[in-house]
Structure formats: C-alpha cells, structure tokens
Amino acid sequence: MKIATFNINGIKARAEALPNWLDSAQPDVVLLQEIKSVDEAFPRDLFEERGYNVETHGQKGFNGVAILSKLPLEDVSRGLPGDESDEQARWIEATVVGKQALRVCGLYLPNGNPVELAEDGSPVPGGKYDYKLRWMERLRTRAAELLATEEPALMAGDYNIIPQAEDAKRPEAWREDALFRPESRAAFRRILNLGFTEAFRARVQGPGHYSFWDYQAGAWNRNDGIRIDHFLLTPQAADLMRDCGIDKEVRGGDKPSDHVPVWVELDI
C-alpha cells in the first residue's frame, strides 16, 4: 500500500496539478493538508471518478485536511481530541481496510509564528506559538493512545517542524522561527520517543532532502528548502515499511504548491 501526504496549499489552486500527480503516482491513500475549503465546496468528483473514497474536515479560507483512499474507510474522526473549543480544522483520522487494518491520521500542525515570548522566555499565553506547543501536547496524548492499541497506525502530514539542522539548507536562518525553535523540536522528540519511527530518516540519511521551498527569493532554484512533512509510524506499521520517499519533481510542475508529496510503502 502506497500512502502519501501532501500539503496542497489550496484545493482550488491545485485542481489540475493534484489530479495529474494522482494519475502519475497512483497512491492508494492520500492525506491532504491546507485544502482551504469547506466540506461542501470540496471537489469530490475529481477524486471519486479516480476511484477514491473522500473524507474531509474543511474550513473556509485556510487550514482543512482530507483523506483520499482507494480502499474502504471506517471509523472516521475529525478534530484532535483534548480541546473542545479548538475550531481549527487540522486533524482527521480513519481506518483503512486492506489486507489488514491500518489507522491513518492526517495532520496540519500549527505554524506558530510569530513567536511571542514573555520576559522569562516562556510563550505568551494565547499566542500563536503557545497554541502550537499546546496542540503538540494534545498530539502526544493521541500518539500514546495509538501506540497502546498495538496495531499498525501512522500520523502523517505537515508538521511545521524542522527536526534537525540537516533538514534545512540554511538552518541558521530558521534559528528563531517557530518551526526550528528548541521548544518545538523538543516537543517533536517527545512524541517520537514514545516509540514511533520517523519513516524518511529510517530509510535516508544526510542533508539535502526537503519537502518545502518558499515561493519567494528563488528558494526553489537554489534548493533552499526545509523538510517539514513527516510520517511517524507505530512499531507495528514500521515493521511493514518497504520504502519512503519525496516526490521532489512535483514542485517543478504547473502551478505547484510550496510543498511536495512525501510517501511510504507498507506491506499491508
């Protein structure tokens, strides 16, 4: 089974490029972020005519996540547990029914910028960076619950986290950014250290591998990128992994997103 994650930065803007990539890459399951559409306006027909079941958790104008699956989807859940007041559409999960069940969780983790700090260096309560770190703590709780099932599961999407210096062409430029601040990376490690495998780094080592390039300042032409789209696999899913990669060539297509797809292949 080939599973991909792709921040498309607006379904309307990618209404041609996304189907073209699907036809070429033929993923079985796709986790989308930043669909920037309410559920009712999402162009389901584009994907259903290609054999995908479609589940969305949309929001007007920004955020929004979706699952496309050529296999049946069961027990769909929307919204990251832990804060009933959180109205941002950043989490969707479902069970994909193949040779065996796989729980897939699609996420769009908060960016967190601008970073607002109090005099003691702690995040300002209610600020965007505070929201990011609190969201990650809720994510850690859900991650622990997934591990406790002892079944194949994964959490994938745009984490808005640069895990290590090698995941940025110019790490010094991101030092005070919410994506690379030590608190953000520590929160990511706390989730990873519960017992997850970061799929890409389990297969590929070294610098130069990115999934995001800013539209500005010629970042793409200079390969001035960062790697912020990740797959975290439970041990049961990691045992089934055959490969993982980044479809970098998609960034060079017509009307590209600022992200490219990342994918894993599982023997499931």
Side-chain angles (χ1 to χ4, degrees):
M1 181 187 297
K2 184 176 183 180
I3 306 154
T5 178
F6 193 0
N7 180 321
I8 57 170
N9 193 14
I11 186 61
K12 291 182 180 179
R14 245 53 70 190
E16 182 176 343
L18 177 57
N20 288 342
W21 169 73
L22 290 172
D23 294 341
S24 174
Q26 290 293 311
D28 299 294
V29 179
V30 185
L31 305 172
L32 299 176
Q33 302 90 48
E34 278 203 280
I35 62 174
K36 298 182 180 179
S37 168
V38 296
D39 296 335
E40 298 78 12
F42 190 81
R44 304 174 62 92
D45 292 350
L46 279 177
F47 311 107
E48 291 176 342
E49 68 187 17
R50 288 172 165 78
Y52 287 99
N53 299 294
V54 179
E55 296 288 347
T56 62
H57 180 35
Q59 186 173 347
K60 185 176 181 179
F62 61 106
N63 298 336
V65 287
I67 302 176
L68 315 178
S69 175
K70 290 185 176 180
L71 298 163
L73 292 171
E74 297 181 354
D75 191 21
V76 180
S77 178
R78 296 168 174 84
L80 182 64
D83 183 357
E84 293 183 358
S85 68
D86 186 0
E87 297 181 350
Q88 296 195 29
R90 295 181 175 275
W91 179 271
I92 188 169
E93 60 178 277
T95 297
V96 179
V97 183
K99 290 187 295 183
Q100 64 184 105
L102 172 69
R103 191 68 176 171
V104 297
C105 305
L107 64 92
Y108 176 42
L109 204 148
N111 179 288
N113 285 306
V115 175
E116 303 168 78
L117 302 177
E119 291 185 2
D120 63 359
S122 62
V124 172
K128 291 186 176 181
Y129 193 49
D130 178 54
Y131 174 64
K132 179 189 186 93
L133 296 179
R134 288 187 290 108
W135 204 95
M136 294 187 75
E137 185 59 27
R138 289 160 54 200
L139 177 60
R140 189 171 72 92
T141 299
R142 181 62 187 131
E145 294 171 350
L146 290 170
L147 287 170
T149 68
E150 298 186 353
E151 296 177 352
L154 59 83
M155 305 187 303
D158 178 359
Y159 278 76
N160 271 315
I161 295 289
I162 305 169
Q164 304 288 341
E166 66 183 359
D167 296 310
K169 177 67 173 293
R170 294 182 300 120
E172 68 280 359
W174 298 88
R175 195 171 308 280
E176 296 303 322
D177 193 280
L179 279 64
F180 195 55
R181 281 190 61 87
E183 302 93 340
S184 303
R185 291 186 289 134
F188 183 78
R189 286 194 301 272
R190 283 195 292 272
I191 296 168
L192 191 62
N193 291 343
L194 291 172
F196 285 86
T197 294
E198 204 261 273
F200 186 80
R201 283 307 181 198
R203 299 289 297 181
V204 182
Q205 300 299 315
H209 306 285
Y210 311 126
S211 63
F212 170 92
W213 297 260
D214 196 294
Y215 286 127
Q216 307 299 319
W220 168 249
N221 293 330
R222 294 183 288 108
N223 196 28
D224 186 4
I226 54 177
R227 192 177 68 89
I228 56 175
D229 302 88
H230 312 300
F231 274 89
L232 300 191
L233 311 180
T234 66
Q236 294 77 17
D239 286 345
L240 300 169
M241 185 172 68
R242 290 187 287 189
D243 203 0
C244 181
I246 299 175
D247 282 354
K248 182 179 178 181
E249 69 278 2
V250 176
R251 182 62 170 80
D254 185 43
K255 294 183 179 180
S257 171
D258 42 8
H259 294 250
V260 295
V262 180
W263 52 267
V264 297
E265 288 186 356
L266 303 182
D267 186 15
I268 191 169

